[in-house]
Amino acid sequence: MHVIPVLDLKGGEVVRAAKGRRDQYRPIVTPLSASSDVVAVAEGLRTLYPFPIFYVADLDAIEGREPNSAALDRLRAMAEPPQLWVDAGFADAERLSAALAKPSVYPVLGTESQHDDALLQRYRDQPNLILSLDFFGDGFRGPASFLDKPELWPRRIIVMTLAKVGAAAGPDFERLEEIRAKAGDREIIAAGGVRNEADIRTLSSLGIAAALVATSLHDGTLTPEQLASLRA
């Protein structure tokens, strides 16, 4: 069971997410870093555990603004470069192809950014492509075919429950079980609501491969000892 730290980027800084209300996100304040600088926060997270993967949500790109390309380049230039799972609002073949061509970048195709399933149809066999099924407070965000046609899904699927992000409300176990039942042998990654080690172990018992985590790492409810015991 892998724990994957989340870096939410806005205006070149890491911000603290809360329930998908992106207009309210502010630069993160964390005991793990003296600033909200993306590399400083990533290095701070690695004081807890030598995480090999980071999930990056480029909120500016997702909302149609200039992507945080410089911040991503700095992460890729770290002394021990992490694998980066990047959701940057990919909605056209040119940008998605460019991301797939970058070493150590695994582009995340978020359903909230899609008008149809054409990109998924075209790129689903790319081994580095990750699909994110995005659920907001008002339900699924994206074309219905992404839920109705699991045969289109790539090898890794994130179940993103934004209403639970930063809310300490626990993962959406029911939805995760539902998606897991449709996914066959694909890897399911939980996102949103993970509070502690018990949640991680429950997810593992359900066959979930990994969890995207932020708040419980910064707040100290997932400790270095627990991460080591989980072999995160």
Side-chain angles (χ1 to χ4, degrees), residues 26-105:
R26 297 293 180 268
I28 196 166
V29 177
T30 171
L32 303 178
S33 172
S35 74
S36 56
D37 174 79
V38 65
V39 172
V41 175
E43 289 176 342
L45 286 161
R46 278 184 165 176
T47 65
L48 302 176
Y49 188 85
F51 296 108
I53 304 171
F54 286 90
Y55 170 89
V56 181
D58 186 339
L59 301 174
D60 291 309
I62 289 170
E63 295 185 340
R65 297 186 293 275
E66 191 69 21
N68 286 278
S69 302
L72 292 172
D73 288 343
R74 291 181 61 223
L75 289 170
R76 294 173 62 215
M78 290 175 67
E80 295 183 21
Q83 188 182 112
L84 299 176
W85 294 9
V86 180
D87 185 345
F90 299 109
D92 62 74
E94 182 178 0
R95 288 187 61 231
L96 184 56
S97 293
L100 285 164
K102 290 183 178 180
S104 75
V105 171

Side-chain angles (χ1 to χ4, degrees), residues 91-122:
D92 62 74
E94 182 178 0
R95 288 187 61 231
L96 184 56
S97 293
L100 285 164
K102 290 183 178 180
S104 75
V105 171
Y106 287 60
V108 175
L109 194 68
T111 58
E112 70 164 300
S113 301
Q114 309 309 305
H115 300 295
D116 53 42
D117 60 21
L119 279 182
L120 181 62
Q121 295 258 20
R122 179 172 173 180

Side-chain angles (χ1 to χ4, degrees), residues 1-195:
M1 180 70 188
H2 297 289
V3 173
I4 300 173
V6 173
L7 299 169
D8 289 300
L9 290 177
K10 189 175 183 179
E13 298 178 279
V14 179
V15 294
R16 178 162 285 213
K19 301 182 181 181
R21 299 169 184 164
R22 292 170 179 157
D23 60 324
Q24 299 178 20
Y25 292 6
R26 297 293 180 268
I28 196 166
V29 177
T30 171
L32 303 178
S33 172
S35 74
S36 56
D37 174 79
V38 65
V39 172
V41 175
E43 289 176 342
L45 286 161
R46 278 184 165 176
T47 65
L48 302 176
Y49 188 85
F51 296 108
I53 304 171
F54 286 90
Y55 170 89
V56 181
D58 186 339
L59 301 174
D60 291 309
I62 289 170
E63 295 185 340
R65 297 186 293 275
E66 191 69 21
N68 286 278
S69 302
L72 292 172
D73 288 343
R74 291 181 61 223
L75 289 170
R76 294 173 62 215
M78 290 175 67
E80 295 183 21
Q83 188 182 112
L84 299 176
W85 294 9
V86 180
D87 185 345
F90 299 109
D92 62 74
E94 182 178 0
R95 288 187 61 231
L96 184 56
S97 293
L100 285 164
K102 290 183 178 180
S104 75
V105 171
Y106 287 60
V108 175
L109 194 68
T111 58
E112 70 164 300
S113 301
Q114 309 309 305
H115 300 295
D116 53 42
D117 60 21
L119 279 182
L120 181 62
Q121 295 258 20
R122 179 172 173 180
Y123 290 97
R124 68 187 183 94
D125 293 327
Q126 289 283 340
N128 287 7
L129 184 71
I130 301 167
L131 174 64
S132 179
L133 301 174
D134 299 329
F135 296 87
F136 286 68
D138 57 356
F140 180 67
R141 190 75 58 86
S145 57
F146 282 86
L147 292 179
D148 297 340
K149 299 178 180 178
E151 65 272 15
L152 296 180
W153 293 351
R155 187 163 63 93
R156 293 189 183 98
I157 303 109
I158 296 169
V159 180
M160 177 70 70
T161 306
L162 282 154
K164 287 182 173 283
V165 169
D172 192 341
F173 294 115
E174 183 177 350
R175 178 171 286 140
L176 285 160
E177 288 189 89
E178 177 186 332
I179 299 298
R180 180 74 188 85
K182 297 167 65 173
D185 61 356
R186 297 172 180 85
E187 294 181 14
I188 301 299
I189 298 97
V194 173
R195 298 163 293 190

